[in-house]
Amino acid sequence: MNDQSKIRVVGAYQHNLKNLTLEIPKHELVVITGPSGSGKSSLAFDTLYAEGQRRYVQSLSSYARQFIDQLEKPAVERIEGLAPAIAIEQRKGTSGGRSTIATSTEISDYLRLLFAEAGQAYHPQTGKKLEKWTIDQIADEILSHPDGQKFFILAPLVNNEKGRHAELLERLKSDGFVRARMNGKVALLDQLPPLEAKKAHSIEVVVDRLKVSRESTGRMMDSLELGLRLGKHVVHLLWLDEAGHEEIEAFSDRAFDPDSGTHFPVRKARDFSFNHPSGACPTCHGLGKILRADASLVVPDPHLSLEEDAIAPWKRGNKGIAAQYKSLARDLCRHGKVDMATPWEDLPEPFHELVLYGSRNKDDRIERTSVKKGEMVTRFESFEGVIPMVERLYAEAKSPLSRRRMQSFMNEQTCPRCQGARLRPEILAIVLEKNNGNESLNIHEFTNLPISKALDWITDYTPPHEALNEVVNEIRQRLQFLNQVGLGYLCLDRQTSTLSGGEFQRIRLATQIGSALTDVLYVLDEPSIGLHQRDQERLLESLVSLRDLGNSVIVVEHDEDTMRLADWIIDLGPAAGPHGGKVMGLGTPDQLAANPNSPTGRYLAGAETISLPKNRIKAGPDWIHLKGASEHNLKAVNASIPLHTLTCVTGVSGSGKSTLINRVLGKAIFRHLYQSKEAPGQHEGIDGLELIDRAVIVDQKPIGRTPRSNPATYTGIFDEIRSLFAGVPASRIRGYTKSRFSFNTPGGRCETCQGDGLLKIEMNFLPDAYVTCDSCLGLRFNRETLEITYRSHTIADVLNLTISEAMDLFANHTKLSEKLTTLHRVGLGYLKLGQPANTLSGGEAQRVKLASELSRNRPDHTLFLLDEPTTGLHFGDIEQLLSLLFSLRDSNNTLLVIEHHLDVIKCADYVIDLGPEGGDKGGEIVATGTPEEIAANPKSITGQFLAEKIGGTALPSKYSNKSSEDLFS
C-alpha cells in the first residue's frame, strides 16, 4: 500500500486504547470486531470519525462553526490519510410523533409535489369526480354545440342567501351590466322589483348573450374570463333551445362540484403535509391521535366499590373535596338504585354509562342533596360524567401538576375525524390514478403501503406530464434503496421513534447510498442489528455498493457473514475495559482465521464454538395463551408460551415479532400487573397471567442518560456504601447521614461543580470544553466529606475502584459482596463503580441490568422480556449471556427473547417462529417447538439456517472463500 491507499493511525489512546498504531486500507470494507468493551467504538467513532469530522468542520468559517455541534479532539498522536467522515450510528429516531420514514428520507417532499401537480380531486363527501376546466376547454365545450344555438354566460354572485342585496345590484348597474338571472329567471336590472329581505335569493349576472359561432370565439373567451373572475372561479352557461327550454351548465378553473356549487382552492405541495396548518387535520393537528380519557384508567380496579373509591380521579388528598365526591357518589347510587358497597364490575351497564359519560337526557338529571344553613336542600341537575370531567379539567388546567394528574387518566386514541390519516378530508380525497383510473391511492394510502409494495406501485405509475418524471424517479430511487437494505416490510408513515436502532441506521445508510458521494469515510455501528439471516445479503450488497462508489467503509460488527465478506478485519481485545484496547489480529478473513492469538479468528476457523446445551427444559403444565392478536400485520395469532423456560421468538425481519411480544403481550402484562396506562395492541384475551408475579424488560437502553448515573447507583450498591460511610465513628460524631455522601444533593458534594467533578466551558465557535473542577480536583465531594474514610478509602476512592477491587474491600459486607460478585460474574469486573452510564456500551448496560435482577434473589416468578440481547456482543460475550439467561431460568423464571442470532436460538428450550415473510405477508406463526423441531420444519425459513447450526460444529458461511468482487455478480 502507498500513502494514498491507507489511513495511518499513530498513538491512539482514546478511552481504553493502548497507544495503538496501525494502518487501515482505504476504499475497502473494513470490519472492527472484538469483545464488548474492547475499544471498537473508541477506535471507529471516538477516534477516526471524530477526527475526520473535526478536520472538516475546522475548514469552515468561524461563523458557520458556531452553529454546528463539534466533537472534541480525540486522544491520538496523529492520523494520516483521513477523509471527511460520516457516522451512521445505531440510534433511535426523534421522539416526536411527526417524524416518519417518509419525512426523514425526503420521500414525503417529492410525494407532496407529485400529488399537488398530478392528483385527481374527488368530493370528500359524495366521492364525485371534481373537474377543473381551462378557458380553452370551456370554449371547446361550447363550440361542440350546434352552430347558432343561443346561450348566456352567467357569473354566480349570490347562492341561496337571505337579504335585499340592494348594494350588489346597484354596483352591477354602475359597472354597466344590464341583465341578471334572479332566482332562475333572467330580467333587466332596471326592472327588478325590491327583493324580500327574509327570503333566500340566487343572483347570477349576465356577462354576455351569444350564439355558437367560431367567428365570435374571441369575444366568447373574453366573456368567459370576465365571468370566472366575477364568479370567483365559477361560470354558468345557460343554454336555450328553439322551444324555449333552458339548461344550465357549471364550469370552474378550480376543482369544482357543480351539484353543491363547492369549489376547492388551488392545491400546493404544503397542503399535503400534516406538519402544515393548511393540510393537517384540525382535530388532531396532524398527529393522527388525540388524548382522551380512558375508562380503564378512570376505574383501574373494577373489584372496588364506589364506597372504596373505585373512581380514581375522585381520590383526593383534600378532605373537603373528597367529601364532595363521596356525596356525589351517594347521590348517583340513589338515582341508579344501586348499593355503594357493590363492586364496580357487578354494577349494571347503564349505571356505568351514567357515571362515566354523564346524563344523556333530561330524565337522567340527578337529585343532589346538600346542607345549607342547617337545612337539607334538594336540587335536580345534569351530571357531567367522569370522562368528560377529566378531559375538561385537562384542557382548563393552569398548573403543570394538575395537567399531569388529569393526563394520568388519559390515553392516546386514534383521531375520530381523520381516523389516523393526519390530513384534512379534502386533501385525502385527492388521488393518483393509473390504469385509466382503475387503481388510485391518496397520499395516506400510499405512505401506508409497505415499502416493497409502494415501490411496485410507483414503478408502474406514469405521470400525466413529462415534467413530473424526475419527481417520480426520485421517489422510486429512494424506495429502491430502502428496499435494498432490507426495510421493505416497513411502511413510509411509520414513526421513526418506533424504529429500532438498526432500522434507523439502515434508513440513513439507504440515504447515503442515494447521495452517491465518493472518497468519504463511512463509519457504521452494527448495521446487521434486527436482520434475519435471510435478509442479510441485501444489506451486505449495500455496503459493497457504498465501497464500490469509491468510499472507505468501516463497520463495527460481530456478524460472521459481514466479517467473511470484509476486505480487512481489525480484531481488538483480548478482553473488555482496561484489559482490552489492543490489536489481537488484523488482515483478511482468511488471515485472521489462521491467527491463533485472535479470539475472533478462532471462532471463524471453527476452533471455538458455542455448544448446544446438554439438556433442554421441557414445557410443563403452565403456559400463557395469547388469543387473537391482530395488531399491525398480525393475523389473529394464537400464541402459547411455556413458563419456566427460555423461549425464543424468531422470524424474518418484519414478520411481527416485536408487535406480538412488545406491543401486545408485554403491554397487556404490564397493564395487568402494574396498571400501566399504555394500551396493549389488539387481541381477544390472554390466559395464564395470574401465574406471573413480576415482569421485567431487559434491553440495551442506557441505565442512565447523565454522568451522575453509574453501575453503583443503578444496582443499589451506592446506597449500601453511603450507609456504610454514615456508620463509621467519625460520621456519627459529626452527625453525618447517608445523604452527606451523595453527589446529587447539596451538603456533602462540591458546590462549585455540583457533584459533576467537571466544569463546562462554552467555547462559542469551538466545541464545548470540560475541565477538572479546581475546588474538588474532580473528586465530586467537598473537603469535609472526603475526611471520612472506610478502611483508608474516601467515598471518592471507592467510586474509582473497579468492581473486582471493590469485592476485596467489601468482602466482609454480605449485601455488598453479593451484588459485587454478581456484577463480576456477568463479566463486568473491569468496570469502575462510578463509571458514568453514558460511557457504557449497550452490551455492558444490559449486563448491568441482568446482574441487578440476578442479585435480587426473589422467590417470585418473573417474566423477562428481552429484545435482541445479542446486540453488540462478541461470540465470547454470547456464551456469557447464555450462562446468565440459564441462571435466571433456573431460578424459577421465564425468559421470552426476540432474537435472530442462531447461537442463542439453538440453545433455547422452545421456539416460536413467525412469518412466512415480512410486512403484510407475515404475521402468522409458521412453526413452534424445540430448535430441533424448527430445524426439521420445511416451512420455517429460520429452520433452514438453524439446521446447519445444530447439525455441525462451525456454520459454513455462504461468504466463505468468496471475494467481495464476484459475490454479487
Side-chain angles (χ1 to χ4, degrees):
M1 294 187 293
N2 56 43
D3 291 337
Q4 299 300 317
S5 63
K6 63 186 177 183
I7 299 171
R8 180 172 172 80
V9 180
V10 179
Y13 53 95
Q14 182 76 13
H15 296 153
N16 66 335
L17 298 181
K18 301 295 192 296
N19 200 27
L20 294 187
T21 296
L22 71 159
E23 294 180 347
I24 303 171
K26 294 173 68 174
H27 309 129
E28 301 284 3
L29 175 58
V30 178
V31 168
I32 301 178
T33 188
S36 177
S38 61
K40 304 181 296 298
S41 295
S42 297
L43 175 60
F45 289 96
D46 300 333
T47 302
L48 293 171
Y49 165 67
E51 182 64 9
Q53 192 252 22
R54 190 186 68 84
R55 291 184 186 180
Y56 168 71
V57 172
Q58 276 192 335
S59 69
L60 304 176
S61 67
S62 60
Y63 176 78
R65 292 204 298 273
Q66 66 182 322
F67 301 108
I68 301 175
D69 290 334
Q70 299 179 61
L71 300 177
E72 293 183 22
K73 180 176 174 59
V76 61
E77 185 178 327
R78 69 177 187 274
I79 303 178
E80 302 169 358
L82 196 59
I86 296 175
I88 306 179
E89 297 179 82
Q90 179 199 138
R91 60 182 176 88
K92 287 276 190 179
T94 57
S95 58
R98 296 188 178 275
S99 176
T100 66
I101 293 177
T103 59
S104 61
T105 57
E106 299 181 353
I107 289 176
S108 66
D109 297 330
Y110 291 100
L111 276 176
R112 291 189 286 111
L113 179 60
L114 180 62
F115 272 86
E117 298 298 329
Q120 171 60 54
Y122 286 81
H123 197 285
Q125 280 79 42
T126 65
K128 184 176 180 179
K129 191 173 184 177
L130 303 181
E131 299 290 350
K132 177 181 175 182
W133 297 78
T134 64
I135 291 179
D136 290 338
Q137 289 173 328
I138 300 173
D140 290 340
E141 179 67 19
I142 292 173
L143 294 175
S144 67
H145 286 70
D147 284 351
Q149 185 173 359
K150 297 178 181 180
F151 67 98
F152 289 9
I153 297 177
L154 311 173
L157 303 176
V158 177
N159 183 26
N160 202 32
E161 297 177 16
K162 291 181 180 181
R164 296 184 184 277
H165 306 292
E167 292 183 6
L168 171 65
L169 295 175
E170 286 299 323
R171 190 172 69 248
L172 291 175
K173 291 178 186 178
S174 64
D175 288 344
F177 292 101
V178 179
R179 293 175 177 79
R181 186 170 183 254
M182 189 77 64
N183 299 326
K185 294 183 179 180
V186 178
L188 294 170
L189 288 172
D190 290 335
Q191 299 176 2
L192 284 175
L195 300 178
E196 294 184 35
K198 294 184 179 181
K199 286 188 177 182
H201 304 285
S202 296
I203 302 175
E204 302 158 277
V205 65
V206 177
V207 178
D208 206 349
R209 296 183 299 165
L210 296 166
K211 292 182 180 179
V212 177
S213 172
R214 294 193 177 273
E215 286 74 17
S216 61
T217 300
R219 173 182 168 181
M220 177 180 64
M221 296 187 71
D222 289 341
S223 298
L224 287 172
E225 184 178 349
L226 177 59
L228 286 169
R229 187 168 66 250
L230 290 174
K232 296 181 179 178
H233 304 287
V234 179
V235 68
H236 291 171
L237 300 180
L238 177 64
W239 293 96
L240 304 172
D241 61 14
E242 295 178 355
H245 296 115
E246 297 181 352
E247 182 183 353
I248 194 82
E249 283 186 300
F251 297 90
S252 175
D253 59 358
R254 303 280 178 92
F256 177 70
D257 176 29
D259 295 335
S260 63
T262 305
H263 66 89
F264 297 88
V266 174
R267 303 183 302 273
K268 298 179 180 178
R270 69 186 184 190
D271 298 333
F272 294 86
S273 171
F274 49 75
N275 290 322
H276 195 277
S278 65
C281 168
T283 300
C284 64
H285 306 292
L287 289 172
K289 296 179 179 179
I290 57 174
L291 269 179
R292 284 283 174 87
D294 189 333
S296 63
L297 299 175
V298 169
V299 188
D301 188 355
H303 302 299
L304 298 179
S305 65
L306 292 179
E307 185 68 51
E308 298 168 317
D309 296 323
I311 308 298
W314 289 356
K315 293 181 182 178
R316 302 303 296 267
N318 186 304
K319 292 184 179 180
I321 297 177
Q324 291 178 21
Y325 281 131
K326 190 73 76 174
S327 174
L328 173 59
R330 281 194 293 269
D331 292 339
L332 285 168
C333 289
R334 185 172 59 253
H335 176 83
K337 299 177 182 178
V338 299
D339 188 352
M340 275 192 72
T342 303
W344 173 264
E345 60 187 356
D346 296 333
L347 293 172
E349 190 60 33
F351 185 74
H352 286 175
E353 291 288 320
L354 173 64
V355 174
L356 293 176
Y357 300 101
S359 306
R360 299 296 177 91
N361 50 58
K362 293 182 179 179
D363 296 334
D364 275 343
R365 288 192 302 171
I366 312 301
E367 181 183 355
R368 299 297 313 278
T369 58
S370 58
V371 178
K372 288 188 177 179
K373 297 181 180 180
E375 295 183 3
M376 186 68 70
V377 178
T378 301
R379 66 189 185 279
F380 288 87
E381 60 184 35
S382 297
F383 174 58
E384 181 180 20
V386 182
I387 285 181
M389 179 201 75
V390 168
E391 293 176 352
R392 175 178 57 81
L393 292 177
Y394 176 77
E396 297 174 355
K398 294 182 179 179
S399 72
L401 183 63
S402 299
R403 193 174 182 86
R404 281 198 300 270
R405 185 174 186 274
M406 289 301 107
Q407 191 173 349
S408 67
F409 308 118
M410 305 175 78
N411 228 330
E412 280 190 342
Q413 298 179 14
T414 301
C415 174
R417 183 164 184 173
C418 67
Q419 296 300 315
R422 301 179 172 213
L423 297 166
R424 295 177 180 270
E426 56 268 28
I427 300 300
L428 294 172
I430 299 172
V431 299
L432 292 182
E433 295 181 334
K434 67 178 185 178
N435 298 334
N436 297 321
N438 293 326
E439 290 185 62
S440 63
L441 291 175
N442 63 32
I443 192 167
H444 170 68
E445 290 169 337
F446 185 88
T447 56
N448 204 34
L449 291 174
I451 287 170
S452 58
K453 284 200 168 185
L455 176 59
D456 294 338
W457 201 95
I458 202 70
T459 300
D460 294 336
Y461 173 74
T462 302
H465 314 297
E466 288 188 6
L468 296 174
N469 285 339
E470 185 63 27
V471 177
V472 174
N473 287 335
E474 288 289 344
I475 297 172
R476 186 184 300 119
Q477 287 177 7
R478 281 166 167 75
L479 290 173
Q480 283 175 340
F481 294 138
L482 289 170
N483 196 52
Q484 182 179 337
V485 296
L487 297 176
Y489 60 91
L490 294 177
C491 297
L492 288 172
D493 66 350
R494 175 83 171 264
Q495 294 180 11
T496 54
S497 60
T498 66
L499 299 174
S500 69
E503 287 171 333
F504 189 76
Q505 185 179 205
R506 290 198 293 278
I507 287 174
R508 294 196 61 213
L509 175 60
T511 305
Q512 291 301 327
I513 295 173
S515 67
L517 290 174
T518 60
D519 207 19
V520 171
L521 172 65
Y522 286 100
V523 185
L524 293 89
D525 188 8
E526 290 200 80
S528 65
I529 293 170
L531 274 184
H532 191 271
Q533 287 75 17
R534 199 278 308 270
D535 304 313
Q536 188 77 358
E537 183 172 332
R538 282 182 293 181
L539 170 66
L540 295 179
E541 187 175 7
S542 301
L543 297 178
V544 169
S545 64
L546 202 60
R547 179 204 64 189
D548 291 345
L549 286 172
N551 299 300
S552 302
V553 182
I554 295 180
V555 184
V556 176
E557 187 59 271
H558 297 290
D559 176 70
E560 182 179 353
D561 288 339
T562 307
M563 285 190 272
R564 292 190 183 278
L565 176 64
D567 303 303
W568 197 257
I569 301 179
I570 301 171
D571 188 26
L572 298 181
H579 306 295
K582 300 178 182 178
V583 175
M584 304 304 297
L586 50 80
T588 65
D590 290 339
Q591 290 172 339
L592 197 70
N595 186 343
N597 296 321
S598 167
T600 305
R602 292 196 292 272
Y603 278 96
L604 290 177
E608 293 185 19
T609 60
I610 298 174
S611 58
L612 289 168
K614 295 180 180 179
N615 52 56
R616 302 191 192 279
I617 302 296
K618 293 183 179 180
D622 296 335
W623 293 68
I624 293 176
H625 300 285
L626 173 62
K627 303 174 185 176
S630 52
E631 183 76 2
H632 293 158
N633 66 333
L634 297 178
K635 298 180 174 59
V637 167
N638 296 319
S640 296
I641 298 101
L643 299 182
H644 313 292
T645 63
L646 169 58
T647 297
C648 274
V649 181
T650 64
V652 298
S653 304
S655 59
K657 304 181 296 298
S658 294
T659 300
L660 179 68
I661 302 305
N662 296 334
R663 177 71 182 166
V664 181
L665 180 63
K667 289 190 175 182
I669 291 173
F670 273 79
R671 172 162 283 198
H672 170 76
L673 293 176
Y674 310 114
Q675 290 75 51
S676 168
K677 65 177 291 185
E678 291 192 69
Q682 296 180 20
H683 67 288
E684 295 176 2
I686 304 178
D687 295 333
L689 292 184
E690 69 280 358
L691 301 173
I692 303 172
D693 300 316
R694 295 174 62 239
V696 176
I697 295 176
V698 183
D699 53 24
Q700 296 202 6
K701 292 180 181 178
I703 59 174
R705 299 193 177 275
T706 67
R708 294 179 180 275
S709 180
N710 53 56
T713 58
Y714 183 84
T715 58
I717 289 174
F718 197 43
D719 283 338
E720 297 290 340
I721 292 173
R722 291 191 296 120
S723 297
L724 202 61
F725 270 81
V728 301
S731 292
R732 291 201 298 270
I733 291 171
R734 298 188 184 192
Y736 290 171
T737 63
K738 63 184 294 186
S739 63
R740 177 83 190 189
F741 300 94
S742 171
F743 48 74
N744 289 320
T745 56
R749 72 182 183 183
C750 171
E751 290 303 323
T752 303
C753 62
Q754 294 189 327
D756 285 336
L758 299 172
L759 294 175
K760 177 181 177 181
I761 301 177
E762 295 185 359
M763 303 289 284
N764 198 9
F765 56 84
L766 292 174
D768 294 336
Y770 291 87
V771 296
T772 303
C773 175
D774 291 333
S775 296
C776 66
L777 301 178
L779 299 179
R780 295 181 157 195
F781 297 91
N782 58 32
R783 184 179 57 192
E784 291 77 13
T785 305
L786 294 175
E787 288 175 355
I788 307 299
T789 61
Y790 174 82
R791 295 179 63 182
S792 303
H793 288 75
T794 66
I795 188 73
D797 294 334
V798 171
L799 286 174
N800 203 40
L801 293 175
T802 65
I803 290 169
S804 297
E805 292 168 341
M807 287 175 62
D808 296 332
L809 181 65
F810 301 110
N812 297 326
H813 194 285
T814 306
K815 285 187 177 180
L816 277 173
S817 181
E818 288 177 354
K819 292 184 176 182
L820 290 167
T821 301
T822 306
L823 284 168
H824 189 272
R825 180 185 167 197
V826 300
L828 297 177
Y830 61 90
L831 287 184
K832 291 184 178 181
L833 286 177
Q835 184 163 335
N838 55 358
T839 66
L840 299 179
S841 68
E844 289 168 336
Q846 187 176 51
R847 280 183 281 171
V848 170
K849 295 176 184 179
L850 284 171
S852 179
E853 291 300 327
L854 279 169
S855 63
R856 291 179 185 270
N857 292 323
R858 293 191 179 185
D860 50 11
H861 174 212
T862 303
L863 173 65
F864 290 91
L865 300 174
L866 298 95
D867 193 349
E868 292 197 71
T870 57
T871 301
L873 298 188
H874 189 259
F875 299 108
D877 299 321
I878 292 174
E879 280 196 274
Q880 211 163 32
L881 171 69
L882 285 169
S883 175
L884 293 176
L885 297 182
F886 291 146
S887 296
L888 285 171
R889 179 200 63 187
D890 296 339
S891 300
N892 190 38
N893 297 307
T894 299
L895 292 98
L896 190 55
V897 184
I898 300 172
E899 190 54 81
H900 289 295
H901 203 290
L902 295 174
D903 283 317
V904 175
I905 299 172
K906 76 179 185 182
C907 294
D909 301 312
Y910 193 79
V911 178
I912 300 172
D913 190 40
L914 273 72
E917 297 291 336
D920 58 353
K921 295 181 181 178
E924 301 176 20
I925 292 182
V926 177
T928 60
T930 64
E932 287 79 9
E933 291 171 335
I934 300 296
N937 192 325
K939 296 180 180 179
S940 171
I941 296 176
T942 304
Q944 297 172 16
F945 292 89
L946 194 58
E948 296 182 81
K949 267 288 185 186
I950 292 177
T953 51
L955 175 65
S957 171
K958 60 184 174 183
Y959 302 110
S960 300
N961 302 319
K962 287 189 178 182
S963 65
S964 54
E965 287 77 9
D966 65 2
L967 183 65
F968 298 112
S969 60

